[in-house]
Every structure is written in structure tokens, then in C-alpha cells.
Amino acid sequence: MRIAVRVPASSANLGPGYDCMGMALDWFDEVTLTTLDSGIEVDVTGEGSEDVPRDSSHLIVQTFLTGLASLQVRPPAGLRLAAHNSIPHGRGLGSSSAAITAGLLLAWAYAHPQAQPDRQWMERIGTELEGHADNVAAVILGGLAIAWGSAEAGRAVSAPLSGDMRALAFIPHQAVPTVQARRVLPQQVSHADAAANTGRAALLVHALAQRPDLLFDATEDWLHQRYRAQLMPRSAELVTLLRAERHAAIISGAGPTVVVLGTEPMLDELARTPVPGFDRRLLRVGGPAHIVSVAEA
């Protein structure tokens, strides 16, 4: 059997939507799994190819096997995984959620080659593996996703999104590990900060769907970005500079990529402005992860 899937990048948090909001981006990794008589072969090209393992510890292979166990399906005797990565690793653009989703899609297609993926099953297993649902929900559902619940019982829904919404990404060359970015967050925040953040997160849902002119106010955050600034000073400085010009700039996920939300006319001039130390890319909203093909090898 030969199975091919495509999985999108994503931007989580979007400012005040910490661990509960994410958006898929039209930036895809492509993965193919071919069953073999024996052994495990892993071939990776593109982003991070020099750093990822080439054996059963590869995240996609691990997730594929976990997915099959959940579906109570015996794994193949052997497999070859070929992954072409275009999503940068460790930059806050959901590369690990893309890998997890790819593994789950491959498992589903192997177990049920003629059936549409059960995305609720994917959300449940993906959230358990990732530990939070914002990125993985956006990758699985596409567009804008709102997630809630625990790591063991995460749930998510698609939310309305303006058709002309764009994300302008400023991507630094240095990575910041997500575990490190989580470690610097405080265990408690003030009631005032929590209340302020709740109001902006609610406004953000409306701004993304109908009122892009409100995105600057809607993307202000009190819960995570200020605490992570020490890990990504140049990204934090760029957010400050962009917001001083009333751009809806945020740290994407755990960082250090900076994303500015808006419509194409809102972002057109900024998208042509180079920023030293950052690559820039104007992105449309992405569709969901999907199975490209299932065929006999």
C-alpha cells in the first residue's frame, strides 16, 4: 500500500487565544508511507532534515503506530516513510502538530482506505499526543479552530473566518523550543489580566469573522507574550514596533515567528518591507490536512 497526505502549517494563540485558538496556513508538508515486507526506512528532505531521526522514533512513524493501536489494527510488517518538510521547525508554525496529524491520517487511511477520516478521532488522539489542541485542531479542521477541554478530552470546532484574511509571517532563523517557552510562564496571573484577556479573545473571534478593522485591539495579550520576550528579544521588539504602528502583530504559537493578521490591502505595504534577520511570507488561510491518495504500491 502507498499512502500520500498533505498537512498545513498553523499559527496558534493569535494573541489572546492562548492554548484555545489556532489558524491553518497554506504552507504544507507532504508525506508518503509505503508498506514493506520488513524494516523501517525514513527519508526526510527539506526543513529540519538534518536533525530528525531516521528510525521508528521519528514523530510521524510513532504517531502512525499509535494511531493503528487506537484503531485496533495490526501494523504492517515494514514501512518506508518519505517526508518533504517545508514548515520550519521550532519557529511557532505548528511543525510538530503537522507531523502528528500526518501520522494519524496515514493510520486512518491504512486502516480504512475507502473511508473519509474521522476527524473527531484525530482531534482526540492528536490532543493527547500534543498536550494542547490549538495547533492540532487547526491542522485537522483547517481555517480557524477554537479548542477547549483537557489534554485527555480535547474538543474543537471550526469558526467563521473572513475569506480575505491573511497572515504575514516574519520568520527568524533561530528556533525556540516549545518546552522552554512554556517553562517561563507563571503559574498564576492576576484576575485583572485574565478578565482583560478574555474580553480580547472574545473580540478576536468577531474581528476574524467580520471586522478586520478591530484586529489590532483584538490581538492584545496579557497571558504569555510578555513572559516569553526574554527568550526571543528580537521578535518581541518587532512586535512592539509593529503594534506601535497599529498593526495586529502577535507571536505565533510559542514563537519566535511574528505574525501580523489582516486583509491583503491592510498588509500589502508591510509585506514588501524587509526586516533584517527575518524571512517574510504572506500566507492565505489553509485548508485541512487531507489524504492525497491511497493505492497499491
Side-chain angles (χ1 to χ4, degrees):
M1 185 181 290
R2 184 178 185 275
I3 308 164
V5 302
R6 294 184 85 217
V7 288
S10 56
S11 181
N13 301 331
L14 308 180
Y18 179 69
D19 271 5
C20 65
M21 296 182 68
M23 181 188 297
L25 304 172
D26 66 337
W27 193 350
F28 291 86
D29 282 352
E30 299 179 349
V31 183
T32 302
L33 182 139
T34 306
T35 58
L36 304 175
D37 292 334
S38 64
I40 293 178
E41 303 174 8
V42 177
D43 179 32
V44 182
T45 58
E47 291 284 343
S49 59
E50 65 280 3
D51 300 322
V52 298
R54 298 297 202 277
D55 55 24
S56 61
S57 65
H58 190 284
L59 182 56
I60 297 178
V61 177
Q62 283 186 327
T63 308
F64 171 70
L65 297 174
T66 299
L68 290 183
S70 171
L71 295 168
Q72 299 182 327
V73 172
R74 186 174 181 175
L79 62 88
R80 176 187 298 116
L81 181 77
H84 179 68
N85 299 336
S86 67
I87 304 168
H89 288 194
R91 305 297 200 282
L93 290 166
S95 61
S96 64
S97 288
I100 287 170
T101 303
L104 293 176
L105 263 184
L106 292 168
W108 181 268
Y110 179 80
H112 304 288
Q114 304 301 322
Q116 290 297 312
D118 182 339
R119 295 189 184 269
Q120 287 189 337
W121 170 80
M122 291 173 63
E123 289 168 25
R124 179 174 61 81
I125 304 300
T127 302
E128 289 178 4
L129 294 174
E130 185 76 319
H132 48 93
D134 45 2
N135 277 112
V136 74
V139 175
I140 292 168
L141 299 176
L144 176 65
I146 299 176
W148 71 98
S150 65
E152 295 76 26
R155 298 181 62 192
V157 293
S158 294
L161 187 64
S162 173
D164 58 355
M165 191 58 57
R166 302 288 186 269
L168 176 59
F170 292 92
I171 307 147
H173 302 151
Q174 298 77 25
V176 172
T178 299
V179 65
Q180 189 176 2
R182 285 188 168 274
R183 193 178 294 136
V184 299
L185 298 181
Q187 293 296 311
Q188 296 180 333
V189 297
S190 72
H191 190 280
D193 283 355
N197 211 78
T198 300
R200 298 308 170 97
L203 179 63
L204 181 57
V205 175
H206 180 61
L208 288 168
Q210 299 181 35
R211 291 286 304 274
D213 58 302
L214 295 175
L215 281 169
F216 173 74
D217 287 335
T219 49
E220 192 166 0
D221 158 70
W222 281 264
L223 294 188
H224 64 103
Q225 293 182 163
R226 67 180 71 175
Y227 302 108
R228 290 169 164 170
Q230 58 183 301
L231 300 178
M232 50 197 86
R234 296 192 67 188
S235 297
E237 180 184 14
L238 180 57
V239 169
T240 299
L241 291 172
L242 291 170
R243 293 192 69 84
E245 298 175 357
R246 297 192 66 79
H247 293 294
I250 52 111
I251 296 293
S252 181
T257 292
V258 174
V259 162
V260 184
L261 299 173
T263 62
E264 196 157 356
M266 292 168 67
L267 299 176
D268 181 61
E269 182 177 351
L270 186 59
R272 297 195 300 269
T273 305
V275 177
F278 293 82
D279 297 326
R280 68 188 189 280
R281 186 162 178 164
L282 182 61
L283 297 159
R284 296 176 181 270
V285 177
H290 61 279
I291 300 168
V292 176
S293 61
V294 181
E296 292 186 7

